[in-house]
């Protein structure tokens, strides 16, 4: 994409933001002298700060960029994901928070070993770490895609600069630095989104009224088909997918479990979860409104749309002649450039001085989720892998050193994952598919252990294997050769977590009953 070099005022704002984040890490490094402080902040953080922190983790650059891209390319179907959050939060606040606070275990996965054996804990840890790498990678990629358009620097350079900055403040300040930087980032990114929406609507000839008219005409506000059809992205597919992914987030994701331990009480932990939900739903709606507003904006400014299409084709085929570029641009489908519309608008329509604020908002959207992922991954690696399999009796000093080292390693692995994603069409689609694939078995196993008191280790192993077969069938059966068409799944890919979780749980209950019957 075309770009102009950023004015000094914008560069200064971005540098001030990045240095501010590192300063927070340095501030907390002074008291960050033991593992209790690094992983739990000694249980001293107020509930409102945790709520803003969880909200900031949720509202990543996948939301900031992927959601407007989705709304631009299609409609508000993906917003149903957000609507599923209150039900998942209710289950988590009633069952999961008391459970984790009661165990006192900082790792979300220690209890699985007590319940089913070492294999269950290791399986969940591997699933979690793969989910984190997919999440961090998709966020690194998404932010680099935008900032490349805005600054002209290569995607790799942007990822390196941002990655090193995040690693520094996360290693220095531990979970407390992560939480307080996220509190600041929550406000910066929300303000940035409101500013973008204001600039779009201000430039519409007839204002917000025109956005609504064009949106209604093109069916942009639809939440998806209400048919009971699970082969396409209907309302129900996204609702069930969202409920189970959010249940996994609130019940099995170390990012969130760790925060339940940083609050002063169980009541504060519950408050923080509900605060996240009531902040995130309107915030995610804001990003859908931005996507629909961008669609209306580019409809009334076709010259900008043509320019965007040409830039997309030129980035892909730099050696084409002008006539070939125009021909290729005419063949582009909306999903080929949906994720690139917001960066394009920002390059061409955001005035000097505000661009630095917007880029800081974009950076904060990415950095909050990545820093959480690094800290949580390091905690899980230290407790569930290093201390479980290598050195059981470890001094606090050695444990803190392992936490620091693994934070750095997971930061670089997330960076590598982001670089591997360069070229992906929809950030949101790839993240949803990967998270559904890794989360399904983990959540099903946890629910089996929590709600089926009689489920045995053997029943859990059989149920997990059955669940994995179903997850892989829904996710990968479309790559089977044509002669095996009858074996292919026609379900939507997002159904992998729904079917996988339900199958694993029900299989575990049935196998437990059959074994009990045989024994008797």
């Amino acid at each position: 994409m075309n770009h102009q070099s950023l004015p000094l005022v914008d560069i200064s704002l971005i540098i001030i933001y990045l240095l501010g984040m590192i300063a927070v890490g340095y501030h907390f490094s002074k008291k960050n002298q033991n593992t209790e402080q690094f992983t739990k902040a000694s249980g001293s953080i107020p509930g409102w700060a945790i709520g803003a922190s969880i909200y900031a983790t949720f509202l990543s650059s996948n939301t900031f960029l992927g959601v407007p891209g989705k709304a631009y390319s299609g409609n508000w179907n993906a917003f149903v994901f957000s609507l599923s959050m209150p039900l998942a939060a209710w289950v988590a606040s009633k069952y999961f928070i008391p459970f984790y606070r009661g165990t006192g275990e900082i790792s979300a996965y220690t209890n699985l070993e007590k319940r089913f054996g070492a294999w269950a804990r290791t399986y969940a840890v591997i699933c979690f770490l793969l989910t984190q790498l997919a999440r961090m990678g998709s966020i690194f990629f998404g932010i680099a895609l935008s900032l490349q358009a805005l600054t002209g620097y290569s995607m790799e350079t942007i990822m390196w600069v941002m990655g090193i900055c995040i690693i520094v403040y996360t290693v220095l300040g531990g979970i407390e630095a992560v939480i307080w930087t996220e509190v600041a980032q929550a406000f910066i990114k929300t303000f940035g989104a409101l500013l973008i929406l204001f600039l779009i609507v201000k430039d519409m000839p007839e204002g917000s009224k025109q956005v609504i008219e064009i949106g209604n005409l093109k069916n942009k506000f639809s939440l998806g088909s209400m048919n009971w059809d699970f082969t396409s992205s209907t309302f129900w597919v996204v609702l069930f997918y969202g409920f189970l992914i959010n249940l996994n987030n609130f019940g099995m994701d170390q990012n969130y479990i760790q925060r339940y331990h940083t609050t002063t009480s169980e009541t504060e932990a519950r408050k923080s979860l509900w605060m996240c939900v009531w902040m995130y739903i309107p915030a995610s709606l804001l990003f859908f409104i931005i996507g629909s507003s961008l669609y209306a904006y580019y409809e009334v400014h076709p010259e900008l749309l043509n320019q965007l299409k040409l830039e997309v084709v030129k980035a892909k085929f730099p050696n084409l002649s002008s006539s070939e570029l125009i021909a290729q641009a005419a063949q582009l489908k909306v999903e080929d450039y949906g994720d690139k519309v917001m960066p394009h608008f920002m390059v061409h329509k955001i005035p000097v001085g505000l661009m630095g604020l917007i880029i800081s908002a974009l950076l904060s959207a990415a950095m909050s989720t990545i820093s959480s992922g690094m800290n949580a991954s390091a905690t899980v690696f230290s407790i569930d892998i290093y201390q479980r399999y290598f050195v059981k009796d470890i001094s606090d000093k050695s444990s803190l050193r392992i936490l620091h080292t693994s934070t750095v390693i997971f930061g670089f692995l997330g960076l590598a994952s982001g670089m591997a994603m360069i070229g992906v069409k929809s950030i949101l689609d790839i993240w949803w598919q990967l998270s559904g694939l890794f989360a399904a078995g983990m959540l099903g196993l946890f629910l089996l252990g929590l709600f089926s008191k009689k489920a045995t280790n053997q029943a859990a192993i059989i149920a997990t294997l059955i669940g994995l077969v179903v997850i892989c069938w829904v996710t990968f059966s479309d790559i089977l050769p044509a002669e095996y068409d009858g074996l292919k799944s026609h379900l939507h890919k997002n159904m992998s977590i729904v079917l996988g979780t339900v199958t694993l749980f029900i299989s575990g209950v049935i196998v437990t009953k059959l074994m009990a019957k045989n024994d008797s």
Side-chain angles (χ1 to χ4, degrees), residues 191-207:
F191 174 73
L194 288 166
L195 186 59
I196 290 170
L197 181 61
F198 169 75
L199 292 170
I200 298 166
V201 175
K202 181 178 74 73
D203 242 12
M204 289 292 287
E206 296 171 42

Side-chain angles (χ1 to χ4, degrees), residues 232-297:
S232 60
S233 190
T234 59
F235 177 92
W236 304 109
V237 165
V238 181
L239 185 72
F240 294 144
Y241 169 84
F243 171 66
L244 287 168
I245 281 285
N246 284 316
L247 205 57
N248 182 71
N249 287 335
F250 299 147
M252 281 300 292
D253 190 323
Q254 181 69 23
N255 282 297
Y256 304 93
I257 309 309
Q258 207 162 323
R259 281 167 175 71
Y260 301 155
H261 292 288
T262 60
T263 57
T264 51
S265 68
E266 190 178 302
T267 306
E268 286 293 295
R270 282 200 180 98
K271 269 189 205 167
S272 70
L273 181 57
W274 282 110
M275 183 178 165
C276 160
V277 170
W278 300 130
M279 285 177 79
Y280 184 79
I281 293 173
S284 71
L285 179 61
L286 170 63
F287 286 98
F288 281 96
I289 293 169
I290 288 172
S292 300
S293 301
L294 282 169
Y295 182 86
Y297 186 88

Side-chain angles (χ1 to χ4, degrees), residues 147-418:
L147 296 189
Q148 181 189 38
L150 298 174
T151 64
Y153 294 111
S154 72
M155 288 174 77
E156 290 84 357
T157 303
I158 292 161
M159 287 190 205
W160 275 109
V161 170
M162 191 174 72
I164 288 166
C165 195
I166 301 168
I167 288 168
V168 169
Y169 78 72
T170 307
V171 168
L172 281 175
I175 190 70
E176 198 162 3
V178 169
I179 287 166
W180 287 111
T181 53
E182 284 184 334
V183 170
Q185 289 160 345
F187 291 104
I188 293 167
K189 64 178 93 174
T190 308
F191 174 73
L194 288 166
L195 186 59
I196 290 170
L197 181 61
F198 169 75
L199 292 170
I200 298 166
V201 175
K202 181 178 74 73
D203 242 12
M204 289 292 287
E206 296 171 42
S208 56
K209 178 175 148 241
Q210 196 171 14
V211 171
I212 295 164
E213 282 173 2
I214 293 171
N216 280 329
L217 190 68
K218 301 286 186 174
N219 201 29
K220 285 286 163 187
F221 306 128
S222 165
L223 294 176
S225 165
M226 299 299 287
N227 293 338
W228 285 91
D229 169 20
F230 298 106
T231 60
S232 60
S233 190
T234 59
F235 177 92
W236 304 109
V237 165
V238 181
L239 185 72
F240 294 144
Y241 169 84
F243 171 66
L244 287 168
I245 281 285
N246 284 316
L247 205 57
N248 182 71
N249 287 335
F250 299 147
M252 281 300 292
D253 190 323
Q254 181 69 23
N255 282 297
Y256 304 93
I257 309 309
Q258 207 162 323
R259 281 167 175 71
Y260 301 155
H261 292 288
T262 60
T263 57
T264 51
S265 68
E266 190 178 302
T267 306
E268 286 293 295
R270 282 200 180 98
K271 269 189 205 167
S272 70
L273 181 57
W274 282 110
M275 183 178 165
C276 160
V277 170
W278 300 130
M279 285 177 79
Y280 184 79
I281 293 173
S284 71
L285 179 61
L286 170 63
F287 286 98
F288 281 96
I289 293 169
I290 288 172
S292 300
S293 301
L294 282 169
Y295 182 86
Y297 186 88
Y298 278 74
E299 282 285 293
V300 298
H301 294 94
E303 72 287 354
L304 273 177
L305 183 58
N306 292 333
Q307 182 189 41
L308 167 65
K309 288 180 179 179
L310 286 171
E311 287 175 9
V312 169
V313 174
K314 197 169 184 180
K316 202 172 180 183
F317 307 107
N319 300 319
L320 293 182
S321 66
S322 297
S323 58
E324 287 171 328
L325 278 173
I326 292 165
Q328 283 285 340
Q331 290 173 28
L332 285 181
K333 293 175 182 171
V334 69
E335 55 267 25
D336 293 327
Y337 56 86
D339 273 351
K340 297 175 179 69
V341 173
M342 192 151 94
H344 183 267
F345 175 83
M346 289 162 70
V347 168
H348 296 282
K349 292 294 166 184
I350 290 181
V352 173
L354 292 181
M355 181 66 90
L357 278 174
I358 300 285
I359 290 176
S360 297
L362 270 170
L363 282 168
S364 70
M367 291 168 81
S368 55
T369 311
I370 293 171
S371 63
S372 291
M374 285 181 193
N375 185 275
S377 299
T379 302
V380 165
F381 174 81
S382 171
I383 292 167
D384 295 298
I385 296 177
Y386 190 80
Q387 291 178 46
R388 170 65 183 81
Y389 292 106
F390 298 103
V391 184
K392 282 190 170 69
D393 298 315
I394 189 171
S395 70
D396 197 65
K397 193 176 177 183
S398 298
S399 180
L400 192 59
R401 192 169 63 247
I402 294 298
L403 283 165
H404 287 159
T405 307
S406 47
T407 301
V408 174
I409 290 167
F410 281 107
F412 284 120
L413 286 173
L415 201 57
S417 172

